[in-house]
Amino acid sequence: MLITVDCLRADHCGFYGYSHPTTPFLDSLASESFVVPQAIVAGAPTYYSLPSILASRMPLALGRDVLGVAPGESTLATVLRESGYATGAFSAGNPYISPRFGYHEGFDVFRDFLDFEVRATQNTGGPETPPGPSVRGKLNRAIRSFAGGIGLNRLYNELYFQYCMKIVPAVSSVDALRRFPAAGMVVDEAQSWLASVEERPFFLWLHLMDPHAPYYPPNEAFRELTGRDIEPGRARYLNEYWNRSDLIPSGLRKKRDEVIELYDAGIRSADRQIARLVQSLRQSHLWEDCVLALTADHGEEFLDHGGRYHPPVRLTEEIVRVPLLIRVPGFEDRAVKVPPSPMSHLHLAPTLLEIMGVQAPSAFQGRSLWTNLQRGQAWDDPAIIECAYGCTNPFRTENRSAPRLLGVRDTHFKLVMRMEPGATEELYDLDADPAETHSGVAGPALEARKRLLQTAREHLGRTVAGRDGMARLRARLRELRCEILG
Ligand SMILES: [Zn+2]
């Protein structure tokens, strides 16, 4: 069973040392699982991360213009289905997890919840949501331009925002504001499917969106976390405030803690529904044999480096470091401490397949780390992270051709480069400067830079030389078909 929780940064989970009770169930599970201290995504956001999780393939390996899993590409689901597993996927309404991008491949049942009714009328939600129409009318634009002319832009923006918040109709429940189905609904459907599988081995993939912006967690989860009931009007105000484009970080910072509280309650919601799912697996005696991997497609930023949400413009730890917990039956007492080597998501699928005794396809770019996990043995492979810089809306194919943003991270250092003429590089010493506040090359960092640059060079060479031309062509044809059919 694979559970991916959208936007879940590692340092907001109890089992990674977070001080708020976001993950009581997962904390208990962690005590009998392998917990990877430095699990690193291969790309961010969702559309640059998932190919590595499901297909053990770097996100840009088929070319920057190819998105998702190519038709016919081997994935965890296709391999396990061929091995006789019943396969089911339940994804909570993420627009990039759909047949259009090939994620249904290998699944007997694929439910993407993209028909989830959007009851909210406002346009918030961060960079993964394609922008909607502006709410500003003609008159407002005229006033705004007048205010700008006499240097009162900030005042105008503030008043206009407060005015919009006043006239918006009252809402009685936070459920009416939610953009994605909450984990409870996804788990319900997964359970019905599990009941239909009967005696067959199964591969279940759940993708939960509860911590994703806009942050509208179910009230029960909010109450469990904070001891208070959620106020729907306040939650809406905070989300709208957080989404403002006219504010600089110091202005946004005033609401940061309250926004994080909503995000954390989203994590708590995922945690309690995963607990419910595991409880039902226990009751039906499926849990004894169930291998579980829990991770996230990327993290989330709360002004850590001046930004919000998770656009592909930075590869800082709050974006690239995610939880990774692997529970293996028979190893509950023997799950040893995992070394702090960075584990790329690229290695997850081959590792899981080896645990299940299934041969990994040769097309997988990662390798199994199962022996290392069992022995608590470190490994040397640095984790590579890549995406197209600033591509926040890949539904527009032209956005995808932005320069590559490339990160190489080993246990102690991270090198980040924007691959365009004249672009600067950044190098962080993660031991001395875990918050990545200053980039610099001196002392031991000089040697690290040389090493990481060499890894980057090898990676780029492999990307070009090892490209699967047929898979690329099939993916491009699928895209063209979608464009033609609208
Ligand atoms: Zn995502």
Side-chain angles (χ1 to χ4, degrees):
M1 180 159 75
L2 171 67
I3 302 178
T4 46
V5 183
D6 215 296
C7 302
L8 177 53
R9 47 191 278 181
D11 62 357
H12 277 242
C13 300
F15 56 107
Y16 283 89
Y18 195 45
S19 55
H20 301 281
T22 46
T23 52
F25 175 72
L26 291 174
D27 296 347
S28 68
L29 204 56
S31 65
E32 54 186 62
S33 305
F34 296 92
V35 176
V36 179
Q38 306 218 28
I40 306 295
V41 302
T46 312
Y47 38 92
Y48 292 130
S49 173
L50 284 181
S52 68
I53 298 176
L54 289 171
S56 181
R57 195 247 300 149
M58 287 303 289
L60 306 183
L62 297 179
R64 267 177 299 174
D65 49 350
V66 169
L67 214 62
V69 170
E73 192 172 0
S74 293
T75 67
L76 267 179
T78 63
V79 172
L80 289 171
R81 180 153 78 173
E82 274 165 32
S83 305
Y85 283 68
T87 53
F90 300 85
S91 165
N94 185 314
Y96 301 107
I97 303 179
S98 68
R100 174 173 177 167
F101 299 114
Y103 288 106
H104 66 301
E105 300 251 350
F107 286 106
D108 304 328
V109 171
F110 181 84
R111 178 90 162 87
D112 59 20
F113 289 89
L114 290 177
D115 51 358
F116 179 71
E117 192 190 344
V118 178
R119 282 157 293 180
T121 50
Q122 77 278 33
N123 175 44
T124 58
E128 275 190 34
T129 311
S134 164
V135 290
R136 288 201 163 98
K138 250 188 188 165
L139 177 64
N140 276 310
R141 280 201 295 273
I143 299 172
R144 184 174 193 218
S145 120
F146 173 72
I150 57 171
L152 292 175
N153 248 340
R154 259 171 65 189
L155 178 65
Y156 167 81
N157 285 329
E158 190 55 43
L159 289 174
Y160 186 75
F161 175 74
Q162 300 300 345
Y163 165 73
C164 287
M165 289 295 90
K166 270 214 165 69
I167 60 164
V168 78
V171 61
S172 59
S173 158
V174 75
D175 298 334
L177 296 165
R178 193 164 305 122
R179 185 72 62 84
F180 310 103
M185 192 184 283
V186 183
V187 165
D188 281 348
E189 293 223 7
Q191 283 177 329
S192 312
W193 174 73
L194 280 171
S196 73
V197 169
E198 295 175 346
E199 297 295 299
R200 286 175 67 195
F202 68 87
F203 170 54
L204 168 63
W205 173 33
L206 285 188
H207 184 81
L208 306 178
M209 292 285 279
D210 299 50
H212 195 289
Y215 311 111
Y216 292 119
N219 187 46
E220 311 80 64
F222 187 85
R223 196 189 313 123
E224 281 179 3
L225 185 76
T226 66
R228 311 188 310 272
D229 281 324
I230 202 164
E231 289 176 46
R234 183 66 185 165
R236 178 165 59 189
Y237 177 88
L238 290 168
N239 273 290
E240 294 287 350
Y241 189 91
W242 194 246
N243 200 37
R244 285 173 70 173
S245 55
D246 60 300
L247 291 180
I248 54 171
S250 61
L252 291 165
R253 204 169 287 279
K254 293 175 196 155
K255 306 284 185 275
R256 178 176 177 266
D257 291 351
E258 276 185 277
V259 171
I260 289 179
E261 200 171 55
L262 294 173
Y263 165 77
D264 282 349
I267 301 174
R268 178 80 182 216
S269 167
D271 182 84
R272 63 202 300 275
Q273 294 303 330
I274 295 167
R276 188 164 71 90
L277 176 65
V278 169
Q279 182 56 23
S280 76
L281 288 171
R282 279 200 179 108
Q283 278 162 4
S284 48
H285 301 287
L286 293 170
W287 183 240
E288 290 103 274
D289 298 324
C290 184
V291 175
L292 165 71
L294 175 126
T295 190
D297 56 349
H298 51 78
E300 186 81 335
E301 190 183 350
F302 294 97
L303 305 177
D304 308 63
H305 291 88
R308 292 161 287 176
Y309 312 119
H310 47 269
V313 294
R314 261 188 293 275
L315 300 178
T316 37
E317 293 291 278
E318 63 273 9
I319 298 292
V320 304
R321 189 168 157 253
V322 288
L324 176 56
L325 172 159
I326 303 174
R327 184 259 184 186
V328 184
F331 285 81
E332 291 90 341
D333 301 327
R334 290 195 282 148
V336 294
K337 200 166 174 338
V338 179
S341 313
M343 179 168 172
S344 165
H345 268 159
L346 211 54
H347 304 310
L348 179 59
T351 302
L352 292 176
L353 288 179
E354 191 183 356
I355 291 170
M356 291 187 282
V358 175
Q359 177 82 34
S362 58
F364 276 14
Q365 294 179 335
R367 66 187 184 94
S368 172
L369 293 172
W370 179 218
T371 307
N372 297 71
L373 292 182
Q374 288 174 83
R375 296 182 185 159
Q377 226 168 39
W379 54 91
D380 295 331
D381 331 30
I384 298 171
I385 312 136
E386 63 180 15
C387 54
Y389 179 82
C391 176
T392 52
N393 183 1
F395 279 107
R396 293 201 197 104
T397 36
E398 66 273 17
N399 285 4
R400 299 182 206 163
S401 54
R404 183 191 303 252
L405 183 64
L406 184 70
V408 187
R409 187 197 187 284
D410 71 9
T411 313
H412 309 288
F413 290 93
K414 179 159 62 184
L415 178 71
V416 179
M417 293 172 290
R418 218 154 101 190
M419 311 298 286
E420 61 186 334
T424 51
E425 60 174 55
E426 293 165 24
L427 182 74
Y428 296 101
D429 179 339
L430 299 171
D431 297 330
D433 176 27
E436 299 164 282
T437 54
H438 54 272
S439 150
V441 184
L446 262 173
E447 198 45 45
R449 177 178 177 269
K450 220 162 107 187
R451 209 173 52 238
L452 298 178
L453 264 179
Q454 181 58 24
T455 306
R457 224 170 274 134
E458 285 165 15
H459 166 67
L460 292 171
R462 264 198 316 270
T463 302
V464 177
R467 185 160 289 166
D468 180 341
M470 284 313 288
R472 173 178 161 73
L473 187 64
R474 287 195 299 271
R476 292 296 298 137
L477 285 173
R478 177 182 65 203
E479 189 86 26
L480 280 174
R481 233 181 357 254
C482 284
E483 279 168 27
I484 291 165
L485 298 175

